[in-house]
Amino acid sequence: MPTATLTRNWPAVFSVMMGIFSIVTTEILPIGLLTSIGSSFEISEGVAGLMMTMPGILAAVSAPVLTAATGRLDRRTMLCALMFVLAIADFLAAVAPNYWVMLFSRVLVGLVIGGFWSIGSGLAARLVQENAVGRATSVIFSAVPLGSVLGVPAGTFVGQVAGWRSAFVVMGLLTIAVLAALMWWMPPLPAIQVTRLGVLRELLRRRDIRIGLVVTALIVTAHFATYTYITPFLQEVTRTDSVTLFLLVYGMAGVVGNFLSGASRHMFAISGFMIALATLVLPVAGNSEIGALALLIIWGLGYGAVPACSQKWFAAAAPNAPEAATVLFTSSFQATLSAGALLGGLVVDATSTATVMALGGVLALLTVATLLLADRRA
């Protein structure tokens, strides 16, 4: 593709970023609305946490299956189709008459996550010049912390003012706008390398890929076992009326963490340590607003770097199969996201939100230990 065309493709990069922003916000929106949705359907906080578990399970399965099954289709067509499905899921959640319909809408979200992340998150190299790929990748992955800094706090605010269903209506309208942007800005992207399941099996034989899977599993489980239940923690332990503000500050720290993800090859381990510090200390210092806010900033800085660090790890381990590497990243990330939310829900229902924070801290420390051990044996 000519250099001039690649330069003009930056709007397409931002369109992909906004697509992932819509997906991430829809996926984690229940975190800020967990209590109100649970009350509406008369279910416990742990059962409500299935809204986080369901998309992750479906995304983990759909990432390899959907990517392989549609491998010969134009990637622009796939991205647009997936955005359309996401809009349907948002509007379905907004009108869900019972919890089962809500969970079905979350199944649709999971299908979209698996397909869009696997295709979209690795497109930077096809949209911009080689010397700008790293910057474009950071822009695309900035959607992850932006979902926390803008999406969840805004959705939580809308939910508090107009009811949680209104938050999903707003997300549906935003998703339609993103669909229009993709249709307008994204150039045709014919498949250039079909990702087959055999390629994925071959990648799993590589040591760096296996280490990446273990590390991603540990850190993502640690994060979502705890962060899924941060709203109940802030309400029950910190006793703050400013949950939206706290989530906003956390998200702002996450944006900074995302752009720090390439500052050091040890950033993955640093991120794990910061998450461990925050979650282990929260049960002790989180009963004050100042303490909780300071720890959420540390947590946000740490986790903000995690998605990009993980994706770059897989990409570096499989430079000749970028889409296949992205599929493994997506599957491992989403599978452990759902496992973390489920594990956290079981612990919360059996004990307390403070206990689940401590559990997440232990898992984050295991992440750091694994990375240090892998680095020593390299």
Side-chain angles (χ1 to χ4, degrees):
M1 191 176 294
T3 299
T5 301
L6 290 174
T7 301
R8 290 197 299 271
N9 280 344
W10 275 100
V13 172
F14 284 100
S15 297
V16 175
M17 184 268 283
M18 285 304 301
I20 294 181
F21 172 82
S22 296
I23 291 170
V24 169
T25 303
T26 298
E27 182 179 17
I28 65 177
L29 185 57
I31 291 175
L33 303 171
L34 200 68
T35 302
S36 56
I37 294 176
S39 299
S40 177
F41 292 122
E42 298 181 347
I43 55 177
S44 70
E45 291 168 348
V47 174
L50 288 174
M51 290 183 291
M52 291 294 296
T53 302
M54 192 64 70
I57 293 174
L58 267 296
V61 175
S62 66
V65 174
L66 193 60
T67 305
T70 64
R72 297 187 183 278
L73 295 180
D74 186 284
R75 309 331 262 159
R76 173 182 181 272
T77 300
M78 282 301 302
L79 293 180
C80 291
L82 290 166
M83 275 294 101
F84 180 72
V85 174
L86 183 64
I88 293 175
D90 284 324
F91 290 128
L92 184 59
V95 299
N98 55 58
Y99 191 51
W100 293 109
V101 175
M102 170 62 81
L103 286 183
F104 177 71
S105 77
R106 304 299 288 172
V107 168
L108 295 180
V109 172
L111 293 175
V112 173
I113 295 168
F116 199 101
W117 271 59
S118 295
I119 296 169
S121 60
L123 282 181
R126 296 189 64 183
L127 293 174
V128 299
Q129 300 174 60
E130 184 177 354
N131 61 1
V133 170
R135 188 164 70 254
T137 299
S138 291
V139 168
I140 289 173
F141 275 91
S142 69
V144 179
L146 281 174
S148 297
V149 70
L150 295 177
V152 174
T156 303
F157 176 75
V158 171
Q160 291 174 342
V161 173
W164 64 265
R165 295 180 186 275
S166 299
F168 284 99
V169 172
V170 172
M171 283 310 306
L173 295 174
L174 174 62
T175 302
I176 290 175
V178 173
L179 170 59
L182 284 168
M183 294 176 67
W184 182 262
W185 293 112
M186 184 65 64
L189 294 170
I192 57 175
Q193 185 179 24
V194 179
T195 298
R196 301 188 184 279
L197 296 180
V199 176
L200 299 176
R201 288 194 294 270
E202 180 63 30
L203 289 184
L204 290 175
R205 296 191 179 99
R206 301 184 184 183
R207 178 177 179 272
D208 283 353
I209 290 290
R210 294 197 298 269
I211 293 173
L213 289 171
V214 171
V215 170
T216 298
L218 287 171
I219 195 65
V220 175
T221 300
H223 174 74
F224 281 98
T226 49
Y227 188 66
T228 301
Y229 306 97
I230 191 61
T231 294
F233 179 89
L234 292 173
Q235 292 171 336
E236 297 166 8
V237 179
T238 310
R239 298 184 182 279
T240 180
D241 295 323
S242 305
V243 172
T244 301
L245 176 62
F246 277 55
L247 295 179
L248 177 64
V249 171
Y250 164 88
M252 291 174 64
V255 172
V256 176
N258 171 73
F259 285 98
L260 291 176
S261 61
S264 167
R265 70 186 186 92
H266 299 300
M267 191 63 200
F268 217 161
I270 295 171
S271 296
F273 178 76
M274 294 173 76
I275 294 172
L277 175 65
T279 51
L280 286 173
V281 178
L282 261 174
V284 179
N287 56 359
S288 77
E289 290 190 340
I290 294 176
L293 193 61
L295 291 169
L296 279 175
I297 291 172
I298 295 173
W299 191 347
L301 285 169
Y303 182 71
V306 166
C309 283
S310 180
Q311 197 275 341
K312 290 173 183 177
W313 181 293
F314 284 105
N320 298 323
E323 188 168 273
T326 305
V327 168
L328 289 179
F329 159 71
T330 303
S331 289
S332 61
F333 197 97
Q334 294 297 327
T336 47
L337 182 158
S338 60
L342 178 60
L343 175 63
L346 294 173
V347 174
V348 164
D349 280 351
T351 57
S352 66
T353 53
T355 302
V356 83
M357 293 296 163
L359 173 63
V362 172
L363 290 175
L365 285 178
L366 286 175
T367 304
V368 178
T370 302
L371 284 165
L372 293 177
L373 183 61
D375 189 53
R376 176 174 293 183
R377 292 184 176 181

